[in-house]
């Protein structure tokens, strides 16, 4: 499954955020893989940060990472750059999908769902 996410940086944190993400710590990358993450891509437009997460089960990944030492250490570093802290306590399902070319092309009726359902 894929999940799109949006976070926002604090004013002036752009360079520090980019530098921090030049390479995440190996123990965090290992924890992400152990949590079922196949890929995690990040784009930034000014203060707005967009993530595309390819993961087996998004909620299970968040539950696994909530107390994982590698993620706790990472969050301590990255949270200071974000405008809103993610403490992993909320049921976050990511952004609501509105349209997909592949879904439309795969739908033989031509009247597929307008929005991607959330689990």
């Amino acid at each position: 499954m894929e999940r799109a996410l949006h976070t926002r940086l604090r004013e002036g944190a752009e360079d520090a955020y980019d530098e921090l993400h030049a390479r995440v710590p190996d123990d965090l990358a290992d924890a992400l893989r152990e949590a079922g993450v196949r890929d995690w891509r990040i784009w930034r437009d000014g203060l707005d940060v967009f993530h595309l997460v390819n993961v087996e089960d998004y909620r299970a990944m968040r539950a696994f990472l909530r107390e994982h030492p590698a993620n706790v250490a990472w969050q301590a570093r990255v949270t200071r750059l974000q405008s809103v802290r993610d403490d992993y306590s909320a049921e976050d399902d990511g952004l609501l999908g509105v349209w997909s070319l592949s879904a439309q092309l795969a739908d033989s009726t031509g009247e597929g769902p307008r929005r991607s359902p959330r689990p």
Side-chain angles (χ1 to χ4, degrees):
M1 93 176 36
E2 288 185 328
R3 283 290 179 258
L5 312 172
H6 172 255
T7 54
R8 188 156 175 86
L9 300 177
R10 295 177 190 261
E11 190 74 38
E14 300 93 336
D15 290 341
Y17 186 87
D18 293 354
E19 290 171 15
L20 188 62
H21 285 82
R23 180 177 173 89
V24 302
D26 290 337
D27 63 342
L28 178 62
D30 291 343
L32 291 169
R33 283 192 301 273
E34 191 176 342
V37 176
R38 293 182 282 271
D39 194 17
W40 190 314
R41 299 185 309 174
I42 300 174
W43 296 265
R44 186 178 60 73
D45 181 20
L47 299 176
D48 292 299
V49 181
F50 302 91
H51 312 250
L52 183 60
V53 183
N54 185 323
V55 61
E56 291 173 22
D57 181 330
Y58 182 74
R59 287 185 180 178
M61 174 205 72
R62 285 181 56 86
F64 177 85
L65 294 174
R66 183 176 296 122
E67 301 296 329
H68 193 287
N71 187 56
V72 171
W74 176 254
Q75 292 304 318
R77 296 176 67 193
V78 76
T79 295
R80 64 184 175 81
L81 305 174
Q82 297 171 329
S83 64
V84 176
R85 180 178 182 269
D86 182 1
D87 64 3
Y88 283 71
S89 64
E91 290 294 329
D92 172 19
D93 285 330
L95 300 174
L96 178 64
V98 176
W99 178 80
S100 163
L101 174 62
S102 61
Q104 180 173 320
L105 294 175
D107 181 11
S108 62
T109 68
E111 298 194 22
R114 177 172 162 82
R115 295 184 178 199
S116 300
R118 290 185 175 170

